[in-house]
Amino acid sequence: MVNADIEIETLAEFDQVVARGSLSGYRIQSVNLLERTFALLSADTSAAVFLGCPMEPDASVKVRADGALVFPPVPDLPFNPYRGLLYTPEELFAGLPSGYEATPDAQAYAWFQETKADGDVFSSMLRSIHDDAISDALDEHLAGARVVGVMGGHAMSRGGTDYRGAAELGRVLARSGLMVATGGGPGAMEAANLGAYLAPAPDEALPEALELLAKAPSFAPSVSDWAQAAFAVRDRWPGGGDSVGIPTWFYGHEPPNAFAGHVGKYFANATREDGLLARSTAGVVFLPGAAGTVQEIFDSATPNYYASRGEPAPMVLVDRAHWTEHLPAWPLLQALARGRAMESRIALVDSVDEVPGVLASMS
């Protein structure tokens, strides 16, 4: 297994390692080395791996001669398949004033739509490399964190009571020291990320932010207006708290929200779903949702049922009527859990106000 200590993901890290005289055995990931030709010519680069690192031709010839593996940057792609770090909202929404269609997020989705069914192994390889790089970056970012997943539907309107409740939940969880992780999209996911973002701010910031956001209650009909309202909130309260969003271009018609401090966006939805739930080791909260949220409930229940990830992670379903009458997932979850270790780690509550206490009791 490759140790993360041998990964170099920034120019500063590269300079620190080079100062010690050898890059042998290191993995240099998406670092622009065009201005580091002398360092590359001077250092031992045997058994090094360069992933998407621009470098001058003579430097490339030399490191290859040393025995290094060089995976060059891929031209004309709207994303970097070798990236070493998670996305930021600013990166995904760069160019937003010219319209959402001009942003890297929209361009990556357009590329995915063009290539997902063309049968080109090169395109599918690029998607796989990118998603693996995102998983690696997520593991590094979340190392040591107590992560709680908040799942819920994308249709929740910014102006509604449910959206406010999800935001208040995200804020409470973040203030308790948990890292909030969501599916990274609109609706309930955005609300939870918003609450975590405003956790360091005074309490009155949340109702003010909700009022600003209500001017663009949904990403339809205009993603641009919806996203610009979010960035107006970020400008009003800069330097917010961290949380993670894990969206997917598989559902690229749903844009990522701008309140997750770090975004791990995937092409493969199955990899994204499993990774999000597996990393929510402090528990998962399921707000009202539809088919996607039901899928997440049982994607989470399966490893708990078989104890394939060790001790079952807590699962809390919110809104008794929704999960027992409208979409009766709770009775089936109870039946699965009966007599197993997970039985004491599932709960059904009426409102988000009960969630923190229930999570704490099960943890």
Side-chain angles (χ1 to χ4, degrees):
M1 181 178 294
V2 174
N3 190 320
D5 290 341
I6 65 171
E7 294 180 4
I8 297 174
E9 295 161 340
T10 67
L11 197 57
E13 291 176 343
F14 177 86
D15 290 340
Q16 290 174 1
V17 173
V18 165
R20 298 197 290 268
S22 176
L23 290 164
S24 180
Y26 279 86
R27 282 78 168 109
I28 303 90
Q29 194 170 351
S30 191
V31 180
N32 189 330
L33 300 176
L34 289 172
E35 302 297 326
R36 295 297 186 272
T37 300
F38 178 77
L40 291 170
L41 294 176
S42 305
D44 175 12
T45 57
S46 60
V49 179
F50 293 86
L51 298 165
C53 298
M55 63 181 75
E56 295 292 350
D58 53 345
S60 178
V61 169
K62 183 268 181 184
V63 300
R64 290 175 191 270
D66 277 355
L69 288 176
V70 178
F71 294 78
V74 181
D76 303 322
L77 273 183
F79 63 95
N80 177 4
Y82 306 111
R83 63 179 302 116
L85 303 172
L86 296 175
Y87 292 100
T88 64
E90 294 88 346
E91 182 180 2
L92 289 171
F93 284 104
L96 182 62
S98 299
Y100 173 67
E101 295 75 15
T103 66
D105 184 67
Q107 291 169 359
Y109 177 52
W111 177 89
F112 180 44
Q113 290 294 95
E114 293 172 3
T115 63
K116 67 181 181 180
D118 64 6
D120 185 353
V121 67
F122 185 55
S123 297
S124 61
M125 182 191 73
L126 291 172
R127 293 194 296 269
S128 296
I129 291 172
H130 169 274
D131 286 1
D132 191 65
I134 290 296
S135 292
D136 183 63
L138 271 172
D139 286 339
E140 292 175 4
H141 182 71
L142 295 176
R146 296 169 58 230
V147 181
V148 59
V150 180
M151 313 297 158
H154 67 270
M156 191 180 287
S157 172
R158 282 171 167 174
T161 303
D162 289 343
Y163 186 96
R164 175 188 290 268
E168 290 172 345
L169 173 64
R171 184 173 63 177
V172 169
L173 294 173
R175 286 178 173 177
S176 72
L178 294 167
M179 173 68 74
V180 173
T182 77
M189 297 170 279
E190 180 189 57
N193 287 129
L194 167 66
Y197 181 84
L198 292 176
D203 286 353
E204 58 269 21
L206 182 54
E208 292 179 34
L210 293 172
E211 186 175 347
L212 288 172
L213 291 171
K215 297 175 183 178
S218 173
F219 62 92
S222 173
V223 174
S224 299
D225 291 347
W226 176 84
Q228 285 172 340
F231 279 101
V233 170
R234 289 173 57 97
D235 290 342
R236 173 70 178 81
W237 292 277
D242 193 21
S243 66
V244 171
I246 307 180
T248 173
W249 281 296
F250 185 82
Y251 298 131
H253 59 287
E254 297 177 12
N257 76 71
F259 294 112
H262 292 82
V263 181
K265 191 154 190 177
Y266 285 86
F267 288 104
N269 185 52
T271 305
R272 165 250 191 177
E273 288 275 12
D274 185 67
L276 171 56
L277 294 168
R279 290 176 175 87
S280 298
T281 52
V284 187
V285 180
F286 299 92
L287 300 173
T293 311
V294 172
Q295 177 183 343
E296 288 162 345
I297 289 173
F298 293 103
D299 280 348
S300 183
T302 300
N304 282 349
Y305 180 88
Y306 290 110
S308 57
R309 294 178 185 148
E311 185 177 358
M315 299 175 63
V316 182
L317 278 61
V318 180
D319 192 329
R320 190 176 302 273
H322 184 83
W323 295 121
T324 61
E325 299 171 17
H326 180 58
L327 292 175
W330 174 250
L332 179 53
L333 184 61
Q334 274 189 308
L336 281 172
R338 193 168 297 122
R340 292 184 171 266
M342 66 180 287
E343 187 171 16
S344 63
R345 310 302 292 277
I346 63 171
L348 175 66
V349 299
D350 290 309
S351 72
V352 293
D353 296 338
E354 301 171 71
V355 171
V358 171
L359 266 181
S361 69
M362 291 195 290
S363 298

